[in-house]
Amino acid sequence: DQQGGAIVEVNAGPSLLMHLKPGVGKPRPVGKAIVDHLFPKNASGRIPVVGITGWIIDSGRVLAQGRGSDCSTVCIYEWDASGARRNLSASNPHSIVGGTRCSDQSVVSRGNFVMWANWLCDRGSYSIFNRGSGNYQKIDPPSGASFIGNNRFDLLVDGSLAFIWAQMGGSGVNSTFDVFRVGGGSGARLSVPGARNVFPRAGGTRVVWEQSPVGGNPDGSVELIAAPVGGGAVRRSSTID
C-alpha cells in the first residue's frame, strides 16, 4: 500500500532474463535480491544436503544410503513421517573396521529392525539396528568367507534371524557363494556348497534364494531354492508348493 504496488503474478519458475537484460531501461540485479532475502547477511546459509544412491520406504519411514555433510563415505539415513532425518550410521560402533570407515549400503527394513552391509572395509560385515532399544548388532562374515554379499540379503520382522550370502571359494566368474542363517549367536549354512547361491529372501516360514552353476547358466536362468527359516530340508523350485 505504501509503495502503491500490487502482485500481478506468482510464478514457481520465473525467468530473470528480462530483468537482467531488459530491452528498454536499466538492468536490475533481481537474482542478488532473491539470494539476499533467503540468506540474510551474517546468516550461515547452510543447506543440509544428502546425495542419495538408493532408497526404500517401510511403515511410513524412508531409508536411504547416501552421503551428507555428516558422513565421510556412505551412510544410512532415515526420515520419519514428520520429515525428521537421522544418520543411523553415525552412532554405529561397527561401521569402522581395522581403522577404515565402511561404506554402509543396501538397507533393509523389517518392523522395528534395520539391516545394512558394512562394505569396502576388510571382508565386510553386516549391522542390524534395533529402533526400540537403539542398539546395534554386528554380523561378521562366515568362517572361510572371502567377502560378504553386499546386497539383497534379508531378516525376519522380529529381527531374530538374518539371511546372508558370502563368497566362499574361487574368484571372478568362477566364484562360489553360499547362503547362511544367522541368529542367537550362531550361524548355519543353508545351501549346498559348490554353486552360486545368492540373494536370500525370507517371508513367513521360508527363505528362498537363487542358485546357478559356477559361472552361471548360458541363458542367465537361475533356480529358486527354498528352506524353512528355522532349518530343515532344502527344496528346489520344481517341488516348491
Side-chain angles (χ1 to χ4, degrees), residues 39-84:
F39 306 104
K41 187 177 181 180
N42 298 324
S44 67
R46 178 178 177 273
I47 304 175
V49 175
V50 175
I52 294 175
T53 57
W55 64 276
I56 62 172
I57 185 169
D58 179 62
S59 302
R61 300 181 180 93
V62 175
L63 295 108
Q65 64 186 50
R67 180 175 177 180
S69 59
D70 56 352
C71 179
S72 60
T73 54
V74 178
C75 295
I76 302 300
Y77 293 89
E78 179 182 72
W79 287 260
D80 64 18
S82 70

Side-chain angles (χ1 to χ4, degrees), residues 65-140:
Q65 64 186 50
R67 180 175 177 180
S69 59
D70 56 352
C71 179
S72 60
T73 54
V74 178
C75 295
I76 302 300
Y77 293 89
E78 179 182 72
W79 287 260
D80 64 18
S82 70
R85 187 193 83 190
R86 61 173 172 169
N87 183 344
L88 299 185
S89 299
S91 300
N92 181 11
H94 311 305
S95 287
I96 298 178
V97 177
T100 300
R101 176 66 172 81
C102 305
S103 290
D104 296 345
Q105 61 184 55
S106 305
V107 61
V108 175
S109 179
R110 298 285 183 265
N112 219 25
F113 296 86
V114 183
M115 179 180 179
W116 61 84
N118 308 127
W119 190 236
L120 299 180
C121 47
D122 195 35
R123 295 182 299 156
S125 62
Y126 302 93
S127 292
I128 298 179
F129 174 65
N130 185 332
R131 292 191 184 97
S133 65
N135 294 329
Y136 293 85
Q137 173 190 348
K138 180 184 180 184
I139 299 177
D140 287 313

Side-chain angles (χ1 to χ4, degrees), residues 168-199:
M168 300 303 294
S171 63
V173 296
N174 295 317
S175 297
T176 62
F177 302 89
D178 281 304
V179 170
F180 296 82
R181 181 187 69 245
V182 182
S186 63
R189 189 195 307 254
L190 299 180
S191 56
V192 177
R196 186 177 181 273
N197 298 282
V198 294
F199 308 150

Side-chain angles (χ1 to χ4, degrees), residues 206-209 224-227 235-241:
R206 294 191 297 178
V207 55
V208 180
W209 63 89
L224 295 181
I225 309 297
R235 306 176 68 183
R236 296 185 175 274
S237 57
S238 59
T239 59
I240 293 176
D241 53 23

